[in-house]
Amino acid sequence: MKSITSLLSLALLLASSANGAQHMKKHYRRGPSATFNQPAPTTTAAAPPPLTSAASGSTIKRGLSFNDVSLTRDFTSSQVSFAYNWDSAHEGALPAGVNYFPMFFSNLPDHSTQWLDNANKAIASGSTHLLFINEPDLSSQGNTSPQDAAKQWMQFMQPFAGKATLVSPAITNGAPPMGTGWMDDFLAACTQLGCQVDAIAAHIYDSATNVAYYQKYITDLGTRYKRPVLITEFGASGSVEQQQQFLQTMVPFLDGLDSVTHYAWFMTAVNNLVNADASLTALGKTYVSS
């Protein structure tokens, strides 16, 4: 097993070399994807005082990605509006008022056979969005061609048109044919088949010091696809202080960007947004207060 130091060094090298060349993943059957392993906190820095958001008083775009629902306990619906877990159902309760977004992770039987029932139950319980294949442009994740993804869309997503907002596969920020190259081909295939794709999902990882890249990449997604954008995973390598500074800039930016409707930091996990007792870390407090 590689050390955390070597993993972080590799992630930074990959990020700086191409602003999104194929990135390293840690994959769980139902779980997360990231370009780096989150280091344990190296600081006891307190969270900064709350900042005035560009979207103050408007719809909350901030959300949570999780594997263990119990770790979402100390968040409130005044801080986050949605949550998802790379699956189509979850055990336990989310905070009151937080909307659950089911995901069709892939067409493997452990996901596809339960999808229709779980999606219908979620919509009946108030879910407003359905998420589709996780990182189809990455072999260690969804690993699906644009053409096959469009066919799967017609089978698994299209039946829910008009019942929820149907969100595209979540692409990486890898260079074409990954990333936007993959999405372009998917949407072209969907046009031929008659898919209704209501919104675009994307992930982005890089260095916490490369804020301009994040802002340009995310802005360009809205311009390119002319659909609402959900940044369902974003993370930034660096020290906790650098990540805090990053979020203090990026959260108001995302709140003020009209094309982005939802975003979720990767992820609601111990030594990331929360401690082992589910209380918010300094980084978690920064995420909800920026």
Side-chain angles (χ1 to χ4, degrees), residues 104-197:
F104 180 87
F105 184 88
S106 77
N107 70 340
L108 293 175
D110 58 343
H111 294 287
S112 61
T113 56
Q114 60 193 0
W115 167 252
L116 293 176
D117 285 344
N118 284 348
N120 274 311
K121 289 176 183 177
I123 291 171
S125 297
S127 294
T128 59
H129 291 64
L130 300 183
L131 307 179
F132 199 46
I133 305 173
N134 187 71
E135 298 187 343
D137 52 335
L138 196 65
S139 60
S140 62
Q141 293 288 311
N143 192 29
T144 309
S145 73
Q147 294 73 27
D148 285 346
K151 293 175 183 176
Q152 292 175 32
W153 181 281
M154 293 302 294
Q155 180 180 357
F156 294 106
M157 293 289 277
Q158 194 63 29
F160 297 101
K163 300 178 182 179
T165 298
L166 306 185
V167 185
S168 78
I171 55 172
T172 70
N173 57 310
M178 297 173 67
T180 55
W182 189 100
M183 185 65 75
D184 291 349
D185 290 345
F186 168 75
L187 293 175
C190 267
T191 296
Q192 293 180 346
L193 295 179
C195 311
Q196 178 179 316
V197 182

Coordinates of all heavy atoms in Angstrom, one line a residue, residues 104-197:
F104 N -27.8 5.9 -10.5 CA -27.6 4.6 -11.3 C -26.1 4.6 -11.5 O -25.6 5.2 -12.5 CB -28.4 4.7 -12.6 CG -28.2 3.4 -13.4 CD1 -29.0 2.3 -13.2 CD2 -27.2 3.4 -14.4 CE1 -28.9 1.2 -14.0 CE2 -27.1 2.2 -15.2 CZ -27.9 1.2 -15.0
F105 N -25.3 3.9 -10.7 CA -23.9 3.9 -10.7 C -23.3 3.3 -11.9 O -22.4 3.8 -12.6 CB -23.3 3.2 -9.4 CG -21.8 3.3 -9.3 CD1 -21.2 4.3 -8.7 CD2 -21.0 2.3 -9.8 CE1 -19.9 4.4 -8.5 CE2 -19.7 2.3 -9.7 CZ -19.1 3.4 -9.0
S106 N -23.9 2.1 -12.3 CA -23.4 1.4 -13.5 C -24.5 0.3 -13.8 O -25.4 0.1 -13.1 CB -22.1 0.8 -13.3 OG -22.2 -0.4 -12.6
N107 N -24.3 -0.3 -15.0 CA -25.3 -1.4 -15.3 C -24.9 -2.8 -14.8 O -25.5 -3.8 -15.2 CB -25.5 -1.5 -16.8 CG -24.2 -2.0 -17.6 OD1 -23.1 -2.0 -17.0 ND2 -24.4 -2.5 -18.8
L108 N -24.0 -2.8 -13.9 CA -23.7 -4.1 -13.2 C -24.9 -4.5 -12.4 O -25.7 -3.6 -11.9 CB -22.5 -3.9 -12.2 CG -21.1 -3.7 -12.9 CD1 -20.1 -3.4 -11.8 CD2 -20.7 -4.8 -13.8
P109 N -25.2 -5.8 -12.3 CA -26.5 -6.3 -11.7 C -26.8 -5.7 -10.3 O -27.9 -5.5 -10.0 CB -26.3 -7.8 -11.7 CG -25.4 -8.1 -12.9 CD -24.4 -6.9 -12.9
D110 N -25.7 -5.5 -9.5 CA -26.0 -5.1 -8.1 C -26.5 -3.6 -8.1 O -27.0 -3.2 -7.1 CB -24.8 -5.2 -7.2 CG -23.6 -4.5 -7.7 OD1 -23.5 -4.1 -8.9 OD2 -22.7 -4.3 -6.9
H111 N -26.4 -2.9 -9.2 CA -27.0 -1.6 -9.3 C -28.2 -1.6 -10.2 O -29.3 -1.0 -9.9 CB -26.0 -0.6 -9.9 CG -24.8 -0.4 -9.0 ND1 -24.9 0.3 -7.9 CD2 -23.5 -0.8 -9.1 CE1 -23.7 0.3 -7.3 NE2 -22.8 -0.4 -8.0
S112 N -28.2 -2.3 -11.4 CA -29.3 -2.1 -12.3 C -30.5 -2.9 -11.9 O -31.6 -2.4 -12.2 CB -28.8 -2.7 -13.7 OG -28.4 -4.0 -13.6
T113 N -30.4 -4.0 -11.2 CA -31.6 -4.8 -10.9 C -32.5 -4.1 -9.9 O -33.8 -4.3 -9.9 CB -31.3 -6.2 -10.4 OG1 -30.4 -6.0 -9.3 CG2 -30.6 -7.0 -11.5
Q114 N -32.0 -3.2 -9.1 CA -32.8 -2.6 -8.1 C -33.1 -1.1 -8.4 O -33.8 -0.4 -7.7 CB -32.0 -2.6 -6.7 CG -30.7 -1.8 -6.8 CD -29.8 -2.1 -5.6 OE1 -30.2 -2.8 -4.7 NE2 -28.6 -1.5 -5.5
W115 N -32.6 -0.6 -9.6 CA -32.7 0.8 -9.9 C -34.1 1.2 -10.1 O -34.5 2.2 -9.4 CB -31.9 1.1 -11.2 CG -32.2 2.4 -11.7 CD1 -32.9 2.7 -12.9 CD2 -31.9 3.7 -11.2 NE1 -33.0 4.1 -13.1 CE2 -32.4 4.7 -12.0 CE3 -31.1 4.1 -10.0 CZ2 -32.2 6.1 -11.8 CZ3 -31.0 5.4 -9.8 CH2 -31.5 6.4 -10.6
L116 N -34.9 0.6 -10.9 CA -36.3 1.1 -11.2 C -37.1 1.2 -9.9 O -37.8 2.2 -9.7 CB -37.0 0.2 -12.2 CG -36.3 0.3 -13.6 CD1 -37.1 -0.7 -14.5 CD2 -36.4 1.7 -14.2
D117 N -37.1 0.2 -9.0 CA -37.8 0.2 -7.8 C -37.3 1.3 -6.9 O -38.1 2.1 -6.3 CB -37.8 -1.1 -7.1 CG -38.6 -2.2 -7.7 OD1 -39.5 -1.8 -8.6 OD2 -38.5 -3.4 -7.5
N118 N -36.0 1.4 -6.7 CA -35.4 2.4 -5.8 C -35.7 3.8 -6.3 O -35.9 4.7 -5.5 CB -33.9 2.1 -5.6 CG -33.6 0.9 -4.7 OD1 -34.5 0.4 -4.0 ND2 -32.4 0.5 -4.7
A119 N -35.5 4.0 -7.6 CA -35.8 5.4 -8.1 C -37.2 5.8 -7.9 O -37.5 6.9 -7.6 CB -35.4 5.4 -9.6
N120 N -38.1 4.9 -8.2 CA -39.5 5.2 -8.0 C -39.8 5.5 -6.5 O -40.6 6.5 -6.2 CB -40.4 4.0 -8.5 CG -40.7 4.1 -9.9 OD1 -41.1 5.1 -10.5 ND2 -40.5 3.0 -10.6
K121 N -39.3 4.7 -5.6 CA -39.5 5.0 -4.2 C -38.9 6.3 -3.8 O -39.5 7.1 -3.0 CB -38.8 3.9 -3.4 CG -39.6 2.5 -3.5 CD -38.8 1.4 -2.7 CE -39.5 0.1 -2.9 NZ -38.7 -1.0 -2.2
A122 N -37.7 6.6 -4.3 CA -37.1 7.9 -4.0 C -37.9 9.1 -4.4 O -38.1 10.1 -3.7 CB -35.7 8.0 -4.6
I123 N -38.4 9.0 -5.7 CA -39.2 10.1 -6.2 C -40.5 10.3 -5.4 O -40.9 11.4 -5.0 CB -39.5 9.9 -7.7 CG1 -38.3 10.0 -8.5 CG2 -40.6 10.8 -8.2 CD1 -38.4 9.6 -10.0
A124 N -41.1 9.1 -5.0 CA -42.3 9.2 -4.2 C -42.0 9.8 -2.8 O -42.9 10.4 -2.2 CB -42.8 7.8 -4.0
S125 N -40.7 9.7 -2.3 CA -40.4 10.3 -1.1 C -39.9 11.7 -1.2 O -39.5 12.3 -0.2 CB -39.3 9.4 -0.4 OG -39.8 8.1 -0.1
G126 N -39.8 12.2 -2.4 CA -39.5 13.6 -2.6 C -38.2 13.9 -3.3 O -37.8 15.1 -3.5
S127 N -37.5 12.9 -3.8 CA -36.2 13.1 -4.5 C -36.5 13.9 -5.8 O -37.4 13.5 -6.5 CB -35.5 11.8 -4.9 OG -35.1 11.1 -3.7
T128 N -35.8 14.9 -6.0 CA -36.0 15.8 -7.2 C -35.1 15.5 -8.4 O -35.4 16.0 -9.5 CB -35.8 17.3 -6.8 OG1 -34.5 17.5 -6.3 CG2 -36.8 17.7 -5.7
H129 N -33.9 14.8 -8.2 CA -33.0 14.6 -9.2 C -32.6 13.1 -9.2 O -32.5 12.5 -8.1 CB -31.7 15.4 -9.0 CG -31.9 16.9 -9.2 ND1 -32.7 17.7 -8.4 CD2 -31.3 17.8 -10.1 CE1 -32.6 18.9 -8.8 NE2 -31.8 19.0 -9.8
L130 N -32.3 12.6 -10.4 CA -31.7 11.3 -10.6 C -30.4 11.4 -11.2 O -30.2 12.1 -12.2 CB -32.6 10.4 -11.4 CG -34.1 10.1 -10.9 CD1 -34.8 9.2 -11.9 CD2 -34.1 9.6 -9.5
L131 N -29.4 10.8 -10.6 CA -28.0 10.8 -11.1 C -27.7 9.6 -11.9 O -28.3 8.5 -11.6 CB -27.0 11.0 -10.0 CG -27.2 12.1 -9.0 CD1 -26.2 12.1 -7.9 CD2 -27.3 13.5 -9.7
F132 N -26.8 9.7 -12.9 CA -26.5 8.6 -13.8 C -25.0 8.3 -13.7 O -24.3 8.9 -12.9 CB -26.9 9.0 -15.2 CG -27.0 7.8 -16.2 CD1 -27.8 6.7 -15.8 CD2 -26.5 7.9 -17.4 CE1 -27.9 5.7 -16.7 CE2 -26.7 6.9 -18.4 CZ -27.4 5.8 -18.0
I133 N -24.5 7.3 -14.4 CA -23.3 6.7 -14.3 C -22.1 7.5 -13.8 O -21.9 8.6 -14.2 CB -22.8 6.1 -15.7 CG1 -23.9 5.2 -16.3 CG2 -21.5 5.3 -15.6 CD1 -23.7 4.8 -17.7
N134 N -21.4 7.0 -12.8 CA -20.3 7.7 -12.1 C -19.0 7.5 -12.9 O -18.5 6.4 -13.1 CB -20.1 7.1 -10.7 CG -19.1 7.9 -9.9 OD1 -19.3 9.1 -9.6 ND2 -17.9 7.4 -9.7
E135 N -18.5 8.6 -13.5 CA -17.3 8.7 -14.2 C -17.2 7.5 -15.2 O -16.3 6.7 -15.2 CB -16.1 8.6 -13.2 CG -16.1 9.9 -12.3 CD -14.9 10.0 -11.4 OE1 -14.2 9.0 -11.2 OE2 -14.7 11.1 -10.9
P136 N -18.0 7.6 -16.2 CA -18.0 6.6 -17.3 C -16.7 6.6 -18.1 O -16.4 5.6 -18.8 CB -19.2 6.9 -18.2 CG -19.4 8.4 -17.9 CD -19.0 8.6 -16.5
D137 N -16.0 7.7 -18.1 CA -14.8 7.9 -18.9 C -13.6 7.4 -18.1 O -12.4 7.6 -18.6 CB -14.6 9.4 -19.2 CG -14.7 10.4 -18.0 OD1 -15.4 10.0 -17.0 OD2 -14.2 11.5 -18.1
L138 N -13.7 6.7 -17.0 CA -12.6 6.2 -16.2 C -12.8 4.7 -16.0 O -13.8 4.3 -15.6 CB -12.5 7.0 -14.9 CG -11.2 6.8 -14.1 CD1 -10.1 7.5 -14.9 CD2 -11.3 7.4 -12.8
S139 N -11.8 4.0 -16.4 CA -11.9 2.5 -16.4 C -12.1 1.9 -15.0 O -12.8 0.9 -14.8 CB -10.6 1.9 -17.0 OG -9.5 2.2 -16.3
S140 N -11.6 2.6 -14.0 CA -11.8 2.1 -12.6 C -13.1 2.5 -12.0 O -13.4 2.1 -10.8 CB -10.7 2.6 -11.7 OG -10.7 4.0 -11.6
Q141 N -13.9 3.3 -12.7 CA -15.2 3.7 -12.2 C -16.3 3.2 -13.1 O -16.5 2.0 -13.3 CB -15.3 5.2 -12.0 CG -14.3 5.7 -10.9 CD -14.8 5.4 -9.5 OE1 -16.0 5.6 -9.2 NE2 -14.0 4.8 -8.7
G142 N -17.1 4.1 -13.8 CA -18.2 3.7 -14.6 C -17.8 2.9 -15.9 O -18.5 2.0 -16.3
N143 N -16.7 3.3 -16.5 CA -16.1 2.5 -17.6 C -17.1 2.2 -18.7 O -17.4 1.0 -18.9 CB -15.4 1.3 -17.1 CG -14.5 0.6 -18.1 OD1 -14.0 1.3 -19.0 ND2 -14.4 -0.7 -18.1
T144 N -17.8 3.2 -19.3 CA -18.8 2.9 -20.2 C -18.6 3.8 -21.4 O -18.3 5.0 -21.3 CB -20.2 3.2 -19.6 OG1 -20.3 2.5 -18.4 CG2 -21.3 2.8 -20.6
S145 N -18.8 3.3 -22.6 CA -18.6 4.2 -23.8 C -19.8 5.1 -23.9 O -20.9 4.9 -23.4 CB -18.6 3.3 -25.1 OG -19.8 2.8 -25.4
P146 N -19.6 6.3 -24.6 CA -20.7 7.2 -24.8 C -21.9 6.5 -25.4 O -23.1 6.8 -25.0 CB -20.1 8.3 -25.6 CG -18.7 8.2 -25.4 CD -18.4 6.8 -25.2
Q147 N -21.7 5.7 -26.4 CA -22.8 5.1 -27.1 C -23.6 4.1 -26.2 O -24.8 4.1 -26.2 CB -22.3 4.3 -28.4 CG -21.7 5.3 -29.4 CD -20.3 5.9 -29.0 OE1 -19.6 5.3 -28.2 NE2 -20.0 7.1 -29.5
D148 N -22.8 3.3 -25.5 CA -23.5 2.3 -24.5 C -24.2 3.1 -23.4 O -25.3 2.7 -23.0 CB -22.5 1.4 -23.9 CG -22.1 0.3 -24.9 OD1 -22.7 0.1 -25.9 OD2 -21.0 -0.4 -24.6
A149 N -23.6 4.2 -23.0 CA -24.3 5.0 -21.9 C -25.6 5.6 -22.4 O -26.6 5.6 -21.7 CB -23.4 6.1 -21.5
A150 N -25.7 6.0 -23.7 CA -26.9 6.5 -24.3 C -28.0 5.5 -24.3 O -29.2 5.7 -24.1 CB -26.6 7.1 -25.6
K151 N -27.6 4.2 -24.7 CA -28.5 3.1 -24.8 C -29.1 2.8 -23.4 O -30.3 2.6 -23.2 CB -27.9 1.9 -25.4 CG -27.5 2.0 -26.9 CD -26.8 0.8 -27.4 CE -26.4 1.0 -28.8 NZ -25.5 -0.1 -29.3
Q152 N -28.2 2.8 -22.4 CA -28.6 2.5 -21.0 C -29.5 3.7 -20.5 O -30.4 3.4 -19.7 CB -27.3 2.4 -20.1 CG -26.5 1.2 -20.4 CD -25.3 1.1 -19.6 OE1 -25.2 1.6 -18.4 NE2 -24.2 0.5 -20.1
W153 N -29.2 4.9 -20.9 CA -30.1 6.0 -20.5 C -31.5 5.7 -21.0 O -32.4 5.9 -20.2 CB -29.6 7.3 -21.2 CG -30.4 8.5 -20.8 CD1 -31.6 8.9 -21.3 CD2 -30.1 9.5 -19.8 NE1 -32.0 10.0 -20.8 CE2 -31.1 10.4 -19.8 CE3 -29.0 9.7 -19.0 CZ2 -31.1 11.5 -19.0 CZ3 -29.0 10.8 -18.1 CH2 -30.0 11.7 -18.1
M154 N -31.7 5.3 -22.2 CA -33.0 5.1 -22.7 C -33.7 4.0 -21.9 O -35.0 4.0 -21.7 CB -33.0 4.7 -24.2 CG -32.5 5.8 -25.1 SD -33.5 7.3 -25.0 CE -35.1 6.7 -25.6
Q155 N -33.0 3.0 -21.4 CA -33.6 1.9 -20.6 C -33.9 2.3 -19.2 O -34.9 2.0 -18.6 CB -32.7 0.7 -20.6 CG -33.2 -0.5 -19.9 CD -32.3 -1.7 -19.9 OE1 -31.3 -1.7 -20.6 NE2 -32.7 -2.7 -19.2
F156 N -32.9 3.0 -18.6 CA -33.0 3.2 -17.1 C -33.4 4.6 -16.7 O -33.9 4.8 -15.6 CB -31.6 2.9 -16.5 CG -31.3 1.4 -16.6 CD1 -30.3 1.0 -17.5 CD2 -31.9 0.5 -15.8 CE1 -30.0 -0.4 -17.6 CE2 -31.6 -0.9 -15.9 CZ -30.6 -1.3 -16.8
M157 N -33.1 5.6 -17.5 CA -33.4 7.0 -17.1 C -34.6 7.6 -17.8 O -35.4 8.3 -17.2 CB -32.2 7.9 -17.4 CG -31.0 7.6 -16.5 SD -31.2 8.1 -14.7 CE -30.8 9.8 -14.8
Q158 N -34.7 7.3 -19.1 CA -35.8 8.0 -19.9 C -37.2 7.7 -19.3 O -38.1 8.6 -19.4 CB -35.7 7.5 -21.3 CG -36.6 8.3 -22.3 CD -36.1 9.8 -22.4 OE1 -34.9 10.1 -22.2 NE2 -37.0 10.7 -22.7
P159 N -37.4 6.5 -18.7 CA -38.8 6.3 -18.1 C -39.2 7.3 -17.1 O -40.3 7.5 -16.7 CB -38.7 4.9 -17.5 CG -37.6 4.2 -18.4 CD -36.6 5.3 -18.7
F160 N -38.2 8.0 -16.5 CA -38.4 9.0 -15.5 C -38.5 10.4 -16.0 O -38.6 11.4 -15.2 CB -37.4 8.9 -14.4 CG -37.4 7.6 -13.7 CD1 -36.4 6.6 -14.0 CD2 -38.3 7.2 -12.7 CE1 -36.4 5.4 -13.4 CE2 -38.3 6.0 -12.1 CZ -37.4 5.1 -12.4
A161 N -38.5 10.6 -17.3 CA -38.6 12.0 -17.8 C -39.9 12.6 -17.4 O -40.9 12.1 -17.5 CB -38.5 11.9 -19.4
G162 N -39.7 13.9 -16.9 CA -40.9 14.6 -16.4 C -41.2 14.3 -14.9 O -42.0 15.0 -14.3
K163 N -40.6 13.3 -14.4 CA -40.9 12.9 -13.0 C -39.8 13.5 -12.0 O -40.0 13.6 -10.8 CB -41.0 11.4 -12.8 CG -42.1 10.8 -13.6 CD -42.1 9.3 -13.4 CE -43.2 8.6 -14.3 NZ -43.2 7.1 -14.1
A164 N -38.6 13.7 -12.6 CA -37.5 14.3 -11.8 C -36.5 14.9 -12.8 O -36.6 14.7 -14.0 CB -36.8 13.1 -11.0
T165 N -35.6 15.7 -12.3 CA -34.5 16.2 -13.2 C -33.5 15.1 -13.5 O -33.0 14.5 -12.5 CB -33.8 17.4 -12.5 OG1 -34.8 18.4 -12.2 CG2 -32.7 17.9 -13.3
L166 N -33.4 14.8 -14.7 CA -32.5 13.7 -15.2 C -31.1 14.2 -15.5 O -30.9 15.0 -16.4 CB -33.1 13.0 -16.4 CG -34.5 12.5 -16.2 CD1 -34.9 11.7 -17.4 CD2 -34.7 11.6 -14.9
V167 N -30.1 13.8 -14.7 CA -28.8 14.3 -14.7 C -27.8 13.4 -15.5 O -27.8 12.2 -15.3 CB -28.2 14.6 -13.3 CG1 -26.9 15.3 -13.4 CG2 -29.2 15.4 -12.5
S168 N -27.0 13.9 -16.4 CA -26.1 13.2 -17.2 C -25.1 12.3 -16.4 O -25.0 12.5 -15.2 CB -25.3 14.1 -18.1 OG -24.2 14.7 -17.3
P169 N -24.4 11.4 -17.0 CA -23.2 10.8 -16.4 C -22.3 11.9 -15.8 O -22.2 12.9 -16.4 CB -22.6 10.0 -17.5 CG -23.7 9.6 -18.4 CD -24.6 10.9 -18.4
A170 N -21.6 11.6 -14.8 CA -20.7 12.5 -14.1 C -19.3 12.3 -14.7 O -18.6 11.3 -14.4 CB -20.7 12.4 -12.6
I171 N -18.9 13.2 -15.6 CA -17.5 13.1 -16.2 C -16.4 13.5 -15.3 O -16.6 14.4 -14.4 CB -17.5 13.8 -17.5 CG1 -17.9 15.3 -17.3 CG2 -18.4 13.2 -18.6 CD1 -17.6 16.2 -18.5
T172 N -15.2 13.1 -15.5 CA -14.0 13.6 -14.9 C -13.6 14.9 -15.6 O -14.1 15.2 -16.6 CB -12.9 12.6 -15.0 OG1 -12.4 12.5 -16.3 CG2 -13.3 11.2 -14.5
N173 N -12.6 15.5 -15.0 CA -11.9 16.6 -15.7 C -10.7 16.2 -16.5 O -9.8 17.0 -16.8 CB -11.6 17.8 -14.8 CG -10.7 17.4 -13.7 OD1 -10.9 16.4 -13.0 ND2 -9.6 18.1 -13.4
G174 N -10.7 14.9 -17.0 CA -9.6 14.4 -17.8 C -9.7 15.0 -19.2 O -10.7 15.5 -19.7
A175 N -8.5 15.1 -19.9 CA -8.5 15.6 -21.2 C -9.2 14.7 -22.2 O -9.2 13.5 -22.0 CB -7.0 15.8 -21.6
P176 N -9.8 15.2 -23.3 CA -10.4 14.3 -24.3 C -9.4 13.2 -24.8 O -8.2 13.4 -24.8 CB -10.7 15.3 -25.5 CG -10.8 16.6 -24.8 CD -9.8 16.6 -23.7
P177 N -10.0 12.0 -25.0 CA -11.4 11.7 -25.1 C -12.1 11.5 -23.8 O -13.3 11.1 -23.8 CB -11.3 10.4 -25.9 CG -10.1 9.7 -25.4 CD -9.1 10.9 -25.3
M178 N -11.5 11.8 -22.7 CA -12.2 11.8 -21.4 C -13.0 13.1 -21.3 O -13.0 13.9 -22.2 CB -11.2 11.6 -20.3 CG -10.5 10.2 -20.3 SD -9.2 10.1 -19.0 CE -10.1 10.1 -17.5
G179 N -13.5 13.3 -20.1 CA -14.1 14.6 -19.8 C -15.1 15.1 -20.8 O -16.1 14.4 -21.2
T180 N -15.0 16.3 -21.2 CA -15.9 16.9 -22.2 C -15.9 16.2 -23.5 O -16.9 16.2 -24.2 CB -15.6 18.4 -22.4 OG1 -14.3 18.6 -22.8 CG2 -15.9 19.2 -21.1
G181 N -14.8 15.6 -23.9 CA -14.8 14.8 -25.1 C -15.8 13.6 -25.0 O -16.6 13.4 -26.0
W182 N -15.8 13.0 -23.9 CA -16.7 11.9 -23.7 C -18.2 12.4 -23.7 O -19.1 11.8 -24.3 CB -16.4 11.2 -22.3 CG -17.2 9.9 -22.1 CD1 -16.8 8.6 -22.3 CD2 -18.6 9.8 -21.7 NE1 -17.8 7.7 -22.1 CE2 -18.9 8.4 -21.7 CE3 -19.6 10.7 -21.3 CZ2 -20.2 8.0 -21.3 CZ3 -20.8 10.3 -20.9 CH2 -21.1 8.9 -20.9
M183 N -18.4 13.5 -23.0 CA -19.7 14.1 -22.9 C -20.3 14.5 -24.2 O -21.5 14.3 -24.5 CB -19.8 15.3 -21.9 CG -21.2 15.9 -21.6 SD -22.3 14.7 -20.8 CE -21.6 14.8 -19.1
D184 N -19.4 15.1 -25.0 CA -19.9 15.5 -26.4 C -20.4 14.3 -27.2 O -21.4 14.4 -27.8 CB -18.7 16.1 -27.2 CG -18.3 17.5 -26.6 OD1 -19.0 18.1 -25.8 OD2 -17.2 18.0 -27.0
D185 N -19.7 13.2 -27.1 CA -20.1 12.0 -27.8 C -21.3 11.4 -27.2 O -22.2 10.9 -28.0 CB -18.9 11.0 -27.8 CG -17.7 11.4 -28.6 OD1 -17.9 12.3 -29.5 OD2 -16.7 10.8 -28.5
F186 N -21.5 11.4 -25.9 CA -22.7 10.9 -25.3 C -23.9 11.7 -25.7 O -24.9 11.2 -26.1 CB -22.5 11.0 -23.8 CG -23.8 10.8 -23.0 CD1 -24.3 9.5 -22.9 CD2 -24.5 11.9 -22.4 CE1 -25.5 9.3 -22.2 CE2 -25.6 11.7 -21.7 CZ -26.2 10.4 -21.6
L187 N -23.8 13.0 -25.7 CA -25.0 13.9 -26.1 C -25.3 13.7 -27.6 O -26.5 13.7 -27.9 CB -24.7 15.3 -25.7 CG -24.6 15.6 -24.2 CD1 -24.2 17.1 -24.0 CD2 -25.9 15.3 -23.5
A188 N -24.3 13.5 -28.4 CA -24.5 13.2 -29.8 C -25.3 11.9 -30.0 O -26.3 11.9 -30.8 CB -23.2 13.2 -30.6
A189 N -24.9 10.9 -29.3 CA -25.6 9.6 -29.3 C -27.0 9.7 -28.8 O -28.0 9.1 -29.3 CB -24.8 8.5 -28.5
C190 N -27.1 10.5 -27.7 CA -28.5 10.8 -27.1 C -29.4 11.5 -28.1 O -30.6 11.2 -28.1 CB -28.3 11.6 -25.8 SG -28.2 10.5 -24.4
T191 N -28.9 12.4 -28.8 CA -29.7 13.1 -29.8 C -30.3 12.1 -30.8 O -31.5 12.3 -31.2 CB -28.9 14.2 -30.5 OG1 -28.4 15.2 -29.6 CG2 -29.7 14.9 -31.6
Q192 N -29.5 11.2 -31.2 CA -30.0 10.2 -32.2 C -31.1 9.3 -31.6 O -32.0 8.9 -32.3 CB -28.9 9.3 -32.7 CG -27.8 10.1 -33.5 CD -26.7 9.2 -34.0 OE1 -26.5 8.1 -33.5 NE2 -25.9 9.7 -35.0
L193 N -30.9 9.0 -30.3 CA -31.9 8.1 -29.6 C -33.1 8.7 -29.0 O -34.1 8.1 -28.7 CB -31.1 7.3 -28.5 CG -30.0 6.3 -29.0 CD1 -29.4 5.7 -27.8 CD2 -30.6 5.3 -29.9
G194 N -33.0 10.1 -28.8 CA -34.1 10.8 -28.2 C -34.1 10.9 -26.7 O -35.1 11.0 -26.1
C195 N -32.9 10.8 -26.1 CA -32.8 11.0 -24.7 C -33.2 12.4 -24.2 O -32.9 13.4 -24.9 CB -31.3 10.8 -24.2 SG -30.5 9.3 -24.8
Q196 N -33.8 12.5 -23.1 CA -34.0 13.8 -22.4 C -33.0 13.9 -21.3 O -33.2 13.3 -20.2 CB -35.5 13.9 -21.8 CG -35.7 15.2 -21.1 CD -37.1 15.3 -20.6 OE1 -38.1 15.0 -21.3 NE2 -37.3 15.8 -19.3
V197 N -32.0 14.7 -21.5 CA -30.9 15.0 -20.5 C -31.2 16.4 -20.0 O -30.9 17.4 -20.7 CB -29.5 14.8 -21.2 CG1 -28.5 15.1 -20.1 CG2 -29.4 13.5 -21.8

